[in-house]
Amino acid sequence: MEISARNKMNGKITDIKTGGVMASVKIQVEEPGEITALITKESVEKLGLKEGDDATAIIKSTEIIVGKE
Amino acid sequence: MEISARNKMNGKITDIKTGGVMASVKIQVEEPGEITALITKESVEKLGLKEGDDATAIIKSTEIIVGKE
Amino acid sequence: MEISARNKMNGKITDIKTGGVMASVKIQVEEPGEITALITKESVEKLGLKEGDDATAIIKSTEIIVGKE
Amino acid sequence: MEISARNKMNGKITDIKTGGVMASVKIQVEEPGEITALITKESVEKLGLKEGDDATAIIKSTEIIVGKE
Amino acid sequence: MEISARNKMNGKITDIKTGGVMASVKIQVEEPGEITALITKESVEKLGLKEGDDATAIIKSTEIIVGKE
Amino acid sequence: MEISARNKMNGKITDIKTGGVMASVKIQVEEPGEITALITKESVEKLGLKEGDDATAIIKSTEIIVGKE
C-alpha cells in the first residue's frame, strides 16, 4: 500500500522501551533524505524562510509512525 | 529555548510553495540522526519490533515544525 | 458545543487499558460514515488519487479524541 | 510494509478538492471497524469512561493519512 | 458532549483567512487557564523540568480544533 | 532558534506525573494570548464562524510541546 505521508526515513531500531500502554522506539536513520513540512504561510513570512536557508525539521515523538517490511 | 520535541534534523531548504494560508517547505536533511517515535505497546508486539530490526520512520507533513537560527 | 473536527464516528467502548499517565480506549464503530482527510496536493498527484478509487484512511491512535454524551 | 498506526478504515473516495498546497479527500468508509484511541488516564477518569459505554471517536482532518493499494 | 481533549481555552475570534481548502482562525484567548501537555519522560529528564519552573506551551496551528456554542 | 509553530503560551509548571515512557506536565498559563488554528474551510462554513464570535480553542495533550529557557 502506498501512503500519502510524505516523509519516510529508513534506518535501524536501536532501542525499545515500554510503559503501561505506550512504547518509545529509537531508530538510527541511515540515509539523510528530503523532508516536506506543511506550515502556515504566515510562518514562512515571519521567519523569512528562503530557498537555500539552513533550517531544522522539528517533530514531536507522538507524531511518528513506525513501519516494518 | 530548549524544547521537549525529541526529533530535530538539520538541513537546507530546497523548495517553498505557498497556497492560500498554507505553505509546503522541503528540507534536504544533511546528517542522518536518531529518531524517537512514541507508538502503542500493542504496535510493538503486533509488528514484532526488536532492536536491530530495519524500520522506517513515517511522518505526515502537517506534523513537522520548521526552525531557523 | 459544535467543533471543527470533521470526523466523528459513534460506537461502543469495548476495551480500556491504563498505564502510568496514558490510557488506550478501543471503540467498536457501529455505522460506517464519511471521513475527511487533509493531505498535500503533491500526495494526491503522486498516489494518483481519483474519485471512485478504493482507499484506506490511516490514523495514529494518539490523534483520536474520545467524546461521551 | 506493516505500519504501527492502529486505525485503518477501507472505503471509496467520494470527493477530492485541491487548494494551493493542500487537498481535502473524502472517503466513504464501507465497513465499520474497531478504533484505538490513546488519551490521558485523567480523561478516562474525568469522563467516567467504562467498557460498554456509547462513545464517539473524534479526529481532526489534518491527522488522517490516505493509503492506496 | 464531553470530550477527552484536556485543553480548552475560551476567547473571541479576531481574524479569519481562507485558502483553497484550509482556513486560518485567530482567537484572542480571554482567560489564562491550565494546559496539560503529554511529552516523553525522557524530555522531562533532559530539560530538567520541575514544578515551579517557568515553561512555554508550544502548539502547531494544525493541531488546534475550534469549538463554537 | 525561531520556530514556525504559531502558538506559544508562557506560564509556570504546576504538576508533573510520569508513567513508563510518558509524562504529563501541567502549565498554568499566565498571560492570555492569541491562538492561531488551522482548520478546513468547510468547518468555517459549517460552524458559521465570523470575526467577533465567541469560540473555544481545543487541543489534545499529545499535541503540546514544552519549552524551557
Side-chain angles (χ1 to χ4, degrees):
Chain A
M1 177 179 293
E2 229 196 308
I3 63 173
S4 62
R6 287 295 81 201
N7 305 293
K8 295 163 193 117
M9 287 170 276
N10 299 321
K12 211 166 273 300
I13 295 178
T14 54
D15 180 68
I16 298 178
K17 285 195 178 57
T18 54
V21 294
M22 295 293 282
S24 158
V25 177
K26 289 192 186 292
I27 299 173
Q28 181 60 41
V29 171
E30 283 154 358
E31 333 102 40
E34 184 182 76
I35 283 194
T36 305
L38 274 174
I39 61 175
T40 57
K41 197 161 75 166
E42 184 187 331
S43 297
V44 171
E45 290 151 5
K46 289 206 170 159
L47 269 67
L49 299 180
K50 298 183 310 305
E51 289 170 21
D53 280 355
D54 290 328
T56 303
I58 299 166
I59 310 148
K60 198 170 189 289
S61 304
T62 46
E63 309 309 323
I64 298 180
I65 291 170
V66 176
K68 187 181 165 187
E69 288 297 343
Chain B
M1 177 181 294
E2 230 197 304
I3 63 174
S4 63
R6 288 295 81 205
N7 305 293
K8 295 159 192 123
M9 287 170 276
N10 299 321
K12 210 165 276 296
I13 295 178
T14 54
D15 180 67
I16 298 178
K17 284 196 180 61
T18 54
V21 293
M22 296 293 283
S24 156
V25 177
K26 289 193 186 293
I27 299 174
Q28 181 60 42
V29 171
E30 282 153 2
E31 331 106 39
E34 184 181 75
I35 282 195
T36 304
L38 275 173
I39 62 175
T40 57
K41 197 161 77 166
E42 185 187 331
S43 296
V44 171
E45 290 153 3
K46 288 203 170 162
L47 267 68
L49 299 180
K50 299 184 309 307
E51 289 170 22
D53 280 356
D54 290 327
T56 302
I58 300 167
I59 309 149
K60 199 172 189 288
S61 304
T62 48
E63 309 310 321
I64 298 181
I65 291 171
V66 176
K68 187 182 165 187
E69 286 299 340
Chain C
M1 177 181 292
E2 231 197 306
I3 62 174
S4 63
R6 286 296 81 202
N7 305 293
K8 295 162 193 117
M9 288 170 275
N10 299 321
K12 209 165 275 299
I13 294 178
T14 54
D15 180 67
I16 298 178
K17 285 196 179 58
T18 55
V21 294
M22 295 293 283
S24 158
V25 178
K26 289 193 186 292
I27 299 173
Q28 182 60 41
V29 171
E30 282 152 0
E31 332 104 37
E34 184 180 76
I35 283 195
T36 304
L38 275 174
I39 61 175
T40 56
K41 196 160 77 165
E42 185 187 329
S43 296
V44 171
E45 289 153 5
K46 288 204 171 161
L47 269 66
L49 299 180
K50 300 184 306 307
E51 288 170 20
D53 280 356
D54 290 327
T56 302
I58 300 166
I59 310 150
K60 199 172 187 288
S61 304
T62 46
E63 309 309 325
I64 298 180
I65 290 171
V66 175
K68 187 182 166 186
E69 286 300 342
Chain D
M1 176 181 293
E2 230 197 308
I3 62 174
S4 63
R6 286 298 79 203
N7 305 294
K8 295 162 193 118
M9 287 170 276
N10 300 321
K12 209 166 276 300
I13 295 178
T14 54
D15 181 66
I16 298 179
K17 286 196 179 58
T18 54
V21 294
M22 295 292 282
S24 158
V25 177
K26 290 192 185 294
I27 299 173
Q28 182 61 40
V29 171
E30 281 151 1
E31 333 103 38
E34 184 181 76
I35 283 196
T36 304
L38 275 174
I39 61 175
T40 57
K41 196 161 76 165
E42 185 187 330
S43 295
V44 170
E45 288 153 4
K46 288 204 170 161
L47 269 67
L49 299 181
K50 299 184 306 309
E51 289 171 21
D53 279 356
D54 290 327
T56 302
I58 301 167
I59 310 149
K60 199 172 187 288
S61 304
T62 46
E63 309 309 321
I64 298 180
I65 290 170
V66 176
K68 187 181 166 187
E69 286 301 338
Chain E
M1 177 180 293
E2 229 197 304
I3 62 174
S4 62
R6 287 295 81 204
N7 305 294
K8 295 160 193 121
M9 288 170 275
N10 299 321
K12 210 165 276 299
I13 295 178
T14 53
D15 181 66
I16 298 178
K17 285 197 179 59
T18 53
V21 294
M22 296 293 283
S24 157
V25 177
K26 289 192 186 293
I27 299 173
Q28 181 60 42
V29 171
E30 282 155 359
E31 332 103 39
E34 184 182 74
I35 283 197
T36 305
L38 275 174
I39 63 176
T40 56
K41 198 160 74 165
E42 184 187 330
S43 297
V44 171
E45 290 152 5
K46 288 203 171 163
L47 268 67
L49 300 180
K50 298 184 308 306
E51 290 171 20
D53 280 355
D54 291 327
T56 302
I58 300 167
I59 309 148
K60 198 172 188 290
S61 304
T62 46
E63 310 309 323
I64 298 180
I65 291 170
V66 176
K68 186 181 166 186
E69 287 298 340
Chain F
M1 177 180 294
E2 230 197 306
I3 63 173
S4 63
R6 285 298 80 204
N7 305 293
K8 295 164 194 114
M9 288 169 277
N10 300 321
K12 211 165 275 297
I13 295 177
T14 54
D15 180 66
I16 298 178
K17 284 195 178 60
T18 55
V21 294
M22 295 293 282
S24 157
V25 177
K26 290 193 186 291
I27 299 174
Q28 182 60 43
V29 171
E30 282 153 0
E31 333 103 36
E34 185 181 74
I35 283 195
T36 305
L38 275 175
I39 62 176
T40 57
K41 195 160 78 167
E42 185 187 331
S43 296
V44 171
E45 289 153 3
K46 288 204 170 161
L47 268 68
L49 299 180
K50 299 184 308 308
E51 289 171 21
D53 281 355
D54 290 328
T56 302
I58 300 167
I59 310 149
K60 199 171 189 286
S61 304
T62 47
E63 308 310 319
I64 298 181
I65 291 170
V66 176
K68 187 182 167 188
E69 286 300 339

